[in-house]
Amino acid sequence: MDIRYSAHPKDVQRYTTEELRNEFLITDLYVADTVKATYSHVDRMVVLGIMPVNEKVSIDKGIDIWANFGTNFFLERREAGVFNIGEGKGYIEVDGERFELGYEDCLYITKGVKEVYFGSLDPKAPAKFFVASTPAHKACKTTFLSYDKANHRPMGAAETSNKRTINQFIHPDVLETCQLSMGITALDPGSVWNSMPCHTHERRMEVYTYFEVPENDVVMHFMGQPEQTRNIVMKNYDAVISPSWSIHCGCGTSNYAFIWAMGGENQAFDDMDNLKPVDLK
């Protein structure tokens, strides 16, 4: 498991490009029949990339659960959200109950689940499961959410190059969770800006993972304090950690989509500090 420690914003001001990427960027998430895990000390968020091809893969494959979490199984004190963003359909077995996930389908898995396995229906078109997990102090209900069941909220405009749809899946308006929130934002063709005008939220951290980025295109992900912005060049399926003190927005060389995953002290979506673009430096 890759461990990422918390970074002070004043230290980040002095980071080189390589240091910035090493601290916040998560790459190479999808390797056949492997669990690629990153543990962030920012609100104890764990990010997993799982691509089952020839076998059914356990959520804890290759992870020393006791050493990393001090628990007997991965979700003993955690909840998790999963999206399938792979070419083909997949399935997830949760304590023996099976859920099939098509493209952009979602599964919320509650605290206390002991066994979670991931599989693909066709090894020639494997599923790619993006998983985000946060600590949880209460059990809720494991829930499957198809794309059609999400809240779809149009935002932005073509004139400002940020016409997009925010699709809320694991969200207080959709289902109850302990603290985890997740969804997908998809930009319309011709639009390239996400989360602009941008914001920070001191009581929540966030992880973005970009997908549907064409092979020869990138997304310039902006982070840092509003008066000390930095950028990280992101490719398809890359993820990035955004601490609570950091902005989190991006501009692509094409339109794209991304999954946002949040954890922290609350789930109040209006609990943020909005920023005008002209105030950024």
Side-chain angles (χ1 to χ4, degrees), residues 93-249:
E93 294 178 358
V94 181
D95 279 351
E97 185 177 4
R98 178 166 164 147
F99 301 88
E100 290 194 1
L101 276 71
Y103 187 66
E104 294 186 337
D105 285 343
C106 175
L107 183 67
Y108 168 75
I109 308 174
T110 187
K111 167 187 178 290
V113 167
K114 291 185 176 180
E115 294 184 343
V116 183
Y117 292 94
F118 299 83
S120 293
L121 298 186
D122 182 358
K124 294 181 180 179
K128 288 185 174 77
F129 295 106
F130 176 81
V131 185
S133 172
T134 52
H137 62 265
K138 68 175 182 178
C140 298
K141 181 182 178 181
T142 295
T143 304
F144 169 76
L145 294 162
S146 66
Y147 182 83
D148 293 339
K149 297 296 183 182
N151 282 344
H152 307 292
R153 297 184 56 201
M155 298 285 287
E159 292 77 8
T160 48
S161 302
N162 67 350
K163 187 177 182 182
R164 61 200 190 275
T165 302
I166 298 176
N167 304 288
Q168 299 168 335
F169 287 79
I170 301 175
H171 184 279
D173 292 340
V174 180
L175 79 162
E176 180 187 17
T177 68
C178 182
Q179 66 155 311
L180 181 65
S181 298
M182 294 180 73
I184 292 176
T185 297
L187 277 71
D188 283 16
S191 286
V192 293
W193 280 104
N194 77 69
S195 309
M196 181 60 74
C198 62
H199 58 266
T200 60
H201 27 70
E202 281 289 342
R203 285 151 291 277
R204 287 177 292 155
M205 66 87 71
E206 196 156 4
V207 171
Y208 279 5
T209 187
Y210 290 95
F211 66 106
E212 294 186 354
V213 180
E215 183 178 0
N216 294 315
D217 288 289
V218 297
V219 176
M220 308 296 289
H221 180 84
F222 294 94
M223 62 163 296
Q225 292 174 294
E227 68 278 9
Q228 288 282 345
T229 60
R230 301 291 186 269
N231 73 275
I232 298 177
V233 179
M234 311 279 296
K235 298 180 181 179
N236 200 28
Y237 297 126
D238 284 350
V240 61
I241 299 166
S242 298
S244 58
W245 47 262
S246 176
I247 63 169
H248 35 281
C249 60

